[in-house]
Amino acid sequence: MIIKQISVFLENKPGTLAEVLSVLDRHNINLRAMSVADTADFGILRLVVNEPDKVEQALKGASLAVKTTPVLAMKVSDKPGGLLAEVKKLTTAGINIEYVYAFAAPAAEEARVVLKVDDLAKAEKVLKGDKAAEGGEGPNFYW
Amino acid sequence: MFWNKPIETMNRPELAAVQTTRLRDTIDRVYRQVPFFRSRMQAAGLLPEDIASLEDLARLPFTTKQDMRDNYPYGLFAVPLAEIVRIHASSGTTGKPTVVGYTKRDIGIWSEVMARTLTAAGANRQSFIQVAYGYGLFTGGLGVHYGAELVGASVIPVSSGNTARQIMLMKDFGTTLLACTPSYALYIAETLGEMGLEPKDLSLRAGVFGAEPWSERMRKEIEERLAIKAIDIYGLSEIIGPGVASECECQDGLHINEDHFYPEIINPQTGETLPDGEKGELVLTTITKEGMPMIRYRTRDLTVLTHKPCACGRTLVRMGKVLGRSDDMLIIRGVNVFPSQVETVLLGLGETSPYYQLIVDREDNLDKLTVLVEVTESMFSDEVRRLETLEHKIEAALGSVLGVTAQVRLVGPKSIERSEGKAKRVIDNRKL
């Protein structure tokens, strides 16, 4: 399914991540997933949360550069080759993956993968009907 | 050592007489030939004959860099373009350069004042003068070059850059006098050490250094590390280039070649003329130039004047080392940079906020400019490469307008300090 991912610009200096996390904490937001892409000068923090619109407003209110990007979220089985099967489908359809981050939930025997792709609609279609694609819970899903 | 002893040691009343005649001639000429100056004088209700003495000069309006921009490129020239034999330019604040033109006679005057400068630094026919100022539109390289040729020295026109090669030539050709920016001189000294050479491996005796502000501490360091006498020189393309003023062997203030350039010190806020010894902005009037005479040009350089006799015997007035600027101009690697130029570039790109800051550092004796730019929502992307592309785009645009390389660093929104008055656009960490 397509979900809203929140990206935040982080200056490369001590305390910037803590600043973002304390905003989330003040608004009682629980993080579902996160990753940081870093360069020599700055980083981009990417977040998946249960109330993306509220979080976006809260972070903007704290004078941070924030952007909401639609990304693909999917569930894969937590076993060897689980992700490969799904990625192959996208590759076969000629979809380019711009970035990806993933994490496993061993208790549920499944893993969650967030993908930024160049053709979101097509990617969703390719994975649709497949058990792997998340679905049914609306945009404000909760993992 | 004097190049032109009769002029350089002329008594004050005689010099004033020469200046008065030349000033009146200049005013007469610009009134007739330059519509800009004529309308300025008319607006002030002045005719050329109203400027009869040096004191009357203060009745004339100032000329500024903005006036040069408004008359770009040839509007301030006082001779037909066919008489112009050379064009130079310095970087302008809006991307357009500040253009200056010289007649054949102007080039002769320039050579003369530079010959005085080089002779005061100890140059003569036996000297080997290495010109490590940039050649081209910048006046430094060719200004020193023509002066050195007039002296009859052997000129080595290497221009700037390629330091290891500079040093090799210095060693092999027996360079006795080096001309470059003071920060480049220090860099040369450092590279000399890295190459395993010492000053005694060279024949260097003196250097003439200008185009950027430098301190006594820096002079001491250059003198020790290169085992030379370091002479401060001053000039600006709007007036002629290098050669407006230079130190003698006493190294106690720069003698202004006031038989060609008439100096005043003013209060930069009120425009009122200040007496000897009071710090203010240097204002210069060219009294011999043909191609592009300048009337009361505001240099924006802060300094003091003294008419006290100098131990060298020169009677020419001395200006102190430049103490700073009355505007926000920075000199980075000899190039004039205004924060407003950065603003123009950023706004021109249409993607960035008007919040920016210039940070100047000196690393390995070279100036380094970093421009902090606040990230706005519209330019922010969740993709690293897009932001990096934007950084490079800003860097390229700044580089082409400023004429110096600037490193762009994106910073968070509202992270640059807001000020209620004048924005703090510049953090200059250089220790001069």
Side-chain angles (χ1 to χ4, degrees):
Chain A
M1 69 174 285
I2 295 169
I3 59 164
K4 286 179 179 174
Q5 170 197 264
I6 292 179
S7 306
V8 188
F9 178 86
L10 293 185
E11 259 182 71
N12 196 355
K13 66 180 187 193
T16 50
L17 179 60
E19 189 189 340
V20 176
L21 295 180
S22 59
V23 173
L24 299 182
D25 182 49
R26 273 203 301 280
H27 289 80
N28 200 25
I29 300 291
N30 198 6
L31 273 173
R32 307 315 304 167
M34 69 177 270
S35 89
V36 175
D38 71 309
T39 71
D41 293 344
F42 59 84
I44 299 174
L45 172 66
R46 298 166 183 143
L47 302 170
V48 175
V49 291
N50 57 331
E51 291 174 276
D53 297 328
K54 177 180 162 187
V55 171
E56 185 181 351
Q57 291 316 313
L59 291 172
K60 279 183 180 167
S63 296
L64 290 155
V66 183
K67 199 175 189 86
T68 300
T69 317
V71 291
L72 203 62
M74 65 183 188
K75 212 187 303 185
V76 297
S77 57
D78 186 17
K79 62 184 184 201
L83 176 60
L84 177 64
E86 303 307 322
V87 169
K88 265 187 175 166
K89 285 181 202 163
L90 297 173
T91 307
T92 309
I95 292 162
N96 187 38
I97 297 170
E98 281 160 12
Y99 59 76
V100 57
Y101 50 101
F103 41 94
E109 292 184 346
E110 60 186 28
R112 310 279 179 165
V113 183
V114 177
L115 294 148
K116 169 81 184 287
V117 294
D118 59 353
D119 189 339
L120 195 61
K122 190 174 172 189
E124 202 193 18
K125 215 178 237 173
V126 167
L127 299 174
K128 207 157 195 143
D130 194 289
K131 283 204 302 277
E134 294 257 15
E137 291 165 57
N140 278 335
F141 78 106
Y142 195 86
W143 279 350
Chain B
M1 288 293 289
F2 295 92
W3 172 253
N4 192 338
K5 198 168 181 181
I7 295 286
E8 294 176 79
T9 59
M10 189 183 264
N11 68 51
R12 294 302 305 182
E14 245 181 283
L15 181 63
V18 169
Q19 289 174 317
T20 307
T21 309
R22 292 177 172 182
L23 174 67
R24 289 167 67 167
D25 176 61
T26 298
I27 299 301
D28 196 49
R29 226 151 16 85
V30 297
Y31 189 86
R32 280 185 290 111
Q33 311 283 5
V34 188
F36 167 80
F37 286 124
R38 181 167 57 243
S39 58
R40 276 285 172 93
M41 284 177 65
Q42 283 168 345
L46 292 168
L47 287 169
E49 51 267 36
D50 293 330
I51 311 304
S53 70
L54 295 171
E55 289 69 43
D56 290 333
L57 183 61
R59 299 172 66 187
L60 288 168
F62 296 112
T63 309
T64 63
K65 210 177 183 86
Q66 183 61 44
D67 296 325
M68 301 190 73
R69 255 178 264 148
D70 294 345
N71 289 283
Y72 175 87
Y74 302 142
L76 294 181
F77 286 13
V79 294
L81 287 176
E83 300 293 314
I84 297 291
V85 300
R86 180 91 64 77
I87 306 279
H88 277 285
S90 66
S91 75
T93 56
T94 53
K96 288 282 190 197
T98 303
V99 182
V100 293
Y102 303 71
T103 64
K104 201 162 181 183
R105 187 165 168 266
D106 292 338
I107 297 285
I109 292 168
W110 194 10
S111 308
E112 156 78 19
V113 292
M114 270 315 294
R116 292 183 197 171
T117 296
L118 293 166
T119 306
N124 56 35
R125 286 175 52 80
Q126 276 71 48
S127 304
F128 286 84
I129 301 181
Q130 186 151 331
V131 185
Y133 279 114
Y135 279 64
L137 284 176
F138 173 59
T139 49
L142 284 161
V144 178
H145 184 103
Y146 275 64
E149 281 195 352
L150 184 61
V151 167
S154 307
V155 190
I156 308 167
V158 274
S159 195
S160 54
N162 202 339
T163 311
R165 188 164 156 270
Q166 294 268 3
I167 292 170
M168 182 192 83
L169 297 181
M170 239 182 257
K171 184 168 172 281
D172 297 347
F173 293 2
T175 302
T176 55
L177 189 143
L178 173 67
C180 62
T181 60
S183 53
Y184 192 53
L186 264 187
Y187 188 66
I188 287 174
E190 213 155 82
T191 310
L192 190 73
E194 282 165 14
M195 290 169 72
L197 294 170
E198 290 175 43
K200 67 170 170 55
D201 298 318
L202 306 176
S203 314
L204 219 51
R205 278 181 218 134
V208 291
F209 306 119
E212 61 186 20
W214 52 309
S215 61
E216 283 304 326
R217 202 184 63 84
M218 193 159 166
R219 171 176 2 236
K220 210 163 162 258
E221 205 173 330
I222 294 172
E223 291 194 330
E224 273 167 17
R225 295 172 70 175
L226 285 175
I228 58 169
K229 189 148 192 162
I231 295 290
D232 192 6
I233 67 172
Y234 175 80
L236 59 166
S237 65
E238 295 91 324
I239 298 303
I240 203 153
V244 172
S246 71
E247 285 180 337
C248 58
E249 66 269 23
C250 303
Q251 294 175 309
D252 185 21
L254 294 85
H255 292 279
I256 298 178
N257 286 304
E258 53 180 329
D259 54 324
H260 295 289
F261 319 112
Y262 185 79
E264 298 167 88
I265 293 285
I266 62 156
N267 175 329
Q269 270 80 48
T270 63
E272 155 206 22
T273 310
L274 300 174
D276 256 29
E278 272 192 44
K279 179 181 159 183
E281 182 182 328
L282 179 67
V283 170
L284 290 166
T285 299
T286 66
I287 52 176
T288 49
K289 256 173 81 191
E290 294 178 332
M292 206 186 79
M294 268 294 161
I295 308 300
R296 301 195 87 200
Y297 184 72
R298 291 192 60 161
T299 65
R300 304 287 173 183
D301 288 320
L302 299 175
T303 185
V304 290
L305 289 184
T306 175
H307 284 86
K308 279 191 202 129
C310 180
C312 72
R314 283 176 184 78
T315 50
L316 299 171
V317 67
R318 282 174 290 158
M319 60 181 266
K321 263 186 177 301
V322 173
L323 301 162
R325 298 275 305 173
S326 70
D327 59 11
D328 56 0
M329 189 182 85
L330 283 166
I331 300 179
I332 295 170
R333 297 191 185 200
V335 176
N336 300 349
V337 170
F338 290 89
S340 56
Q341 284 176 292
V342 172
E343 186 164 311
T344 306
V345 168
L346 293 181
L347 295 175
L349 288 170
E351 295 184 70
T352 58
S353 79
Y355 293 103
Y356 60 91
Q357 199 163 49
L358 283 76
I359 298 182
V360 195
D361 294 291
R362 190 160 278 178
E363 287 176 8
D364 299 329
N365 294 312
L366 285 178
D367 297 332
K368 182 170 167 269
L369 172 65
T370 307
V371 178
L372 305 186
V373 179
E374 279 191 9
V375 173
T376 59
E377 223 166 278
S378 66
M379 68 195 255
F380 177 55
S381 160
D382 69 312
E383 286 171 50
V384 168
R385 64 190 156 93
R386 279 183 208 247
L387 287 182
E388 285 183 332
T389 303
L390 179 68
E391 273 187 341
H392 295 147
K393 191 172 150 190
I394 302 172
E395 277 170 4
L398 285 175
S400 73
V401 169
L402 302 181
V404 288
T405 308
Q407 202 200 335
V408 168
R409 194 149 65 80
L410 297 177
V411 297
K414 300 192 183 160
S415 66
I416 293 172
E417 192 193 333
R418 303 296 195 257
S419 126
E420 300 199 340
K422 204 167 142 58
K424 192 169 168 54
R425 295 295 192 203
V426 175
I427 295 177
D428 197 338
N429 296 319
R430 287 177 292 192
K431 300 274 179 289
L432 290 181

